[in-house]
Amino acid sequence: MNEESIPVTTLFMREVQEDLINNFHPRMEELMRKIQESKDNIRECLLEKEHIYRYEGKASEEEVLGVDAATAFCDYGEISTALATGVVSSTSENVKPVYKYKAVYGTSSETFSRATNYLRCWSELAALKYATEQDTWVLYDGSFTSINFEMGKWASVMPKEGDISRDFVESELLTDLFVESIKSEDSDWFTVLGDRKLNKVISVGKRGISKYYSTNVIKDFEMEDTAFLPSDKFILGTVLQANEYTKPLSYEQVFVKSHRSGTPGYSHPGLKSEDRFNSMQNDVETTYKSLRILHFKPWPWSPVLKIEYNEKLCKLNDVLAIIKGQTKTRSILEPMALYLADLLAKQTQSVMNFYGDINTRRYPKLFSAYRTSKRG
């Protein structure tokens, strides 16, 4: 067949197939080969350097709250909508589940979608604030590192009072939420991480956030491309056995660089150099200095979970007991409280229809898209 007569979609799929065969699959096979060939040596290395311990305690039966958040964004014709929902699930009869929901909308622009991540920050902090008001353990489906990073980005785009942001014109839609989240003495950020110091709060992350072991402890990974160095969670998922956990590590050990603070892995969220927040910023930084990161495999059927907690306020055995108690159900691969929170959070995407599809009939000149299908 003449090359010029081949449909462009066929040529495109051919190129995708060639990339899979020549690049993607060889990289994946090399990575799996190195993991499989090295896992015994990795485990031996970690045991020798006393990075693996065994939990001998029982599973806790305490009541637990779960905190999760979800976002949605879509353009409908000339109108953009961003929304976020923070949820608190509960296994306690004394604490009711709650939603922390907010939507912003306005005329479409290239920067509007950025509001989505900032709304998520607000919703997560609002949910955490409610959860930490209760006298019970809280599991947070997220990372203290990630929310700190996103708060820093949010602070960087918010103008000083009375100014207008040229880079993020939608900032005015988020002004009140920004004050509630961080820019006030009683903000959710300073309350949860400063005053309450994450007491009885455990972060359970789905993704590996660092490559500490492959760069500092284990020398078996000499990958040409550092992007393919396995994350800690990836490595430990192959070597940890049931009831085993890793040595708790500080942020100073795991992370290398910091911005506007003396704690690696933590960055002051800016606040345009307002001195009135200095003492509260220092309280939050103290909390981050007390955070510890470990990985734990509570049961033979469980995945390895990445855990963050404040070692000054949470005893390690209590943290492990809570995680073990929340992962007893074989058919659910995450802690029960977070599984329930995830079910609640998943309602967020369906809510978007109320702002778009329904209103295409009510406001056709605003919501009729100038394309075959809507994008979101």
Side-chain angles (χ1 to χ4, degrees):
M1 179 182 292
N2 188 330
E3 191 79 10
E4 295 182 356
S5 65
I6 299 177
V8 66
T9 52
T10 301
L11 292 175
F12 168 61
M13 294 308 299
R14 177 194 291 177
E15 186 171 342
V16 171
Q17 185 71 12
E18 288 176 353
D19 179 60
L20 286 170
I21 294 172
N22 298 325
N23 299 306
F24 181 82
H25 290 311
R27 285 294 185 94
M28 297 303 106
E29 288 169 2
E30 178 190 8
L31 182 59
M32 288 308 302
R33 178 183 58 78
K34 289 188 71 69
I35 289 286
Q36 293 301 318
E37 290 178 353
S38 305
K39 64 180 182 180
D40 291 338
N41 291 336
I42 292 171
R43 180 173 173 81
E44 184 178 340
C45 173
L46 294 176
L47 287 169
E48 182 181 335
K49 296 184 178 182
E50 298 184 340
H51 277 277
I52 295 180
Y53 297 85
R54 186 171 183 82
Y55 175 62
E56 302 291 352
K58 296 181 179 179
S60 172
E61 300 295 333
E62 287 193 55
E63 298 171 332
V64 176
L65 306 182
V67 172
D68 197 2
T71 61
F73 170 79
C74 201
D75 283 333
Y76 288 87
E78 296 300 327
I79 302 298
S80 292
T81 301
L83 56 88
T85 307
V87 299
V88 179
S89 69
S90 176
T91 63
S92 169
E93 294 182 356
N94 301 317
V95 182
K96 66 177 183 179
V98 299
Y99 281 92
K100 299 294 183 178
Y101 166 77
K102 189 68 68 174
V104 295
Y105 24 82
T107 52
S108 298
S109 76
E110 294 298 322
T111 59
F112 204 106
S113 63
R114 292 163 63 182
T116 308
N117 286 340
Y118 310 145
L119 283 175
R120 185 184 185 101
C121 290
W122 169 84
S123 66
E124 286 189 354
L125 287 171
L128 280 168
K129 185 176 182 180
Y130 171 83
T132 54
E133 289 171 353
Q134 319 307 318
D135 185 22
T136 186
W137 283 90
V138 177
L139 297 187
Y140 166 48
D141 189 346
S143 163
F144 299 131
T145 312
S146 296
I147 194 170
N148 175 221
F149 179 67
E150 293 298 336
M151 288 299 294
K153 290 199 296 184
W154 189 5
S156 70
V157 301
M158 296 301 289
K160 292 182 178 180
E161 190 172 348
D163 291 348
I164 298 175
S165 174
R166 297 180 181 276
D167 298 324
F168 183 51
V169 295
E170 291 80 16
S171 61
E172 64 179 23
L173 298 174
L174 303 175
T175 299
D176 291 343
L177 297 181
F178 186 62
V179 172
E180 183 180 335
S181 294
I182 190 169
K183 200 175 179 180
S184 62
E185 286 82 351
D186 60 349
S187 69
D188 295 350
W189 176 259
F190 292 133
T191 299
V192 173
L193 290 105
D195 295 343
R196 298 172 186 167
K197 301 184 185 303
L198 299 175
N199 184 29
K200 299 181 79 172
V201 178
I202 306 170
S203 161
V204 182
K206 291 185 172 71
R207 299 191 304 270
I209 62 171
S210 69
K211 299 183 178 182
Y212 170 81
Y213 287 102
S214 58
T215 55
N216 295 284
V217 181
I218 303 162
K219 303 302 180 183
D220 282 11
F221 295 103
E222 297 178 357
M223 306 291 289
E224 294 182 3
D225 190 344
T226 55
F228 281 86
L229 281 173
S231 70
D232 295 343
K233 191 168 182 291
F234 187 8
I235 288 176
L236 297 169
T238 66
V239 300
L240 286 186
Q241 298 175 1
N243 290 310
E244 289 184 340
Y245 65 94
T246 58
K247 177 181 178 181
L249 299 171
S250 68
Y251 269 44
E252 286 89 342
Q253 291 172 287
V254 174
F255 301 103
V256 177
K257 297 179 181 179
S258 59
H259 304 281
R260 298 190 298 273
S261 82
T263 303
Y266 170 70
S267 170
H268 286 319
L271 295 181
K272 308 298 182 186
S273 302
E274 296 190 40
D275 293 338
R276 64 189 174 114
F277 296 118
N278 285 345
S279 63
M280 288 172 285
Q281 296 270 40
N282 292 335
D283 288 341
V284 174
E285 184 171 348
T286 298
T287 298
Y288 270 83
K289 286 182 178 179
S290 301
L291 291 178
R292 294 297 179 265
I293 302 171
L294 62 84
H295 293 77
F296 180 37
K297 185 179 178 68
W299 302 95
W301 58 83
S302 302
V304 168
L305 302 173
K306 178 190 69 66
I307 296 167
E308 297 176 69
Y309 68 100
N310 186 338
E311 72 159 0
K312 300 292 186 183
L313 300 176
C314 306
K315 294 181 180 179
L316 175 58
N317 278 350
D318 290 342
V319 170
L320 298 177
I322 290 292
I323 297 297
K324 192 172 177 67
Q326 286 289 303
T327 51
K328 292 187 295 186
T329 306
R330 291 173 180 259
S331 59
I332 299 176
L333 298 181
E334 60 185 328
M336 178 59 72
L338 294 184
Y339 169 73
L340 297 175
D342 184 61
L343 291 178
L344 295 175
K346 277 185 167 58
Q347 306 302 313
T348 302
Q349 186 60 50
S350 61
V351 170
M352 184 59 76
N353 293 332
F354 292 112
Y355 292 94
D357 291 346
I358 293 175
N359 286 321
T360 56
R361 296 187 293 273
R362 181 173 295 184
Y363 312 107
K365 291 184 178 180
L366 291 176
F367 287 90
S368 292
Y370 300 114
R371 57 184 68 89
T372 304
S373 60
K374 68 179 186 292
R375 58 186 172 89

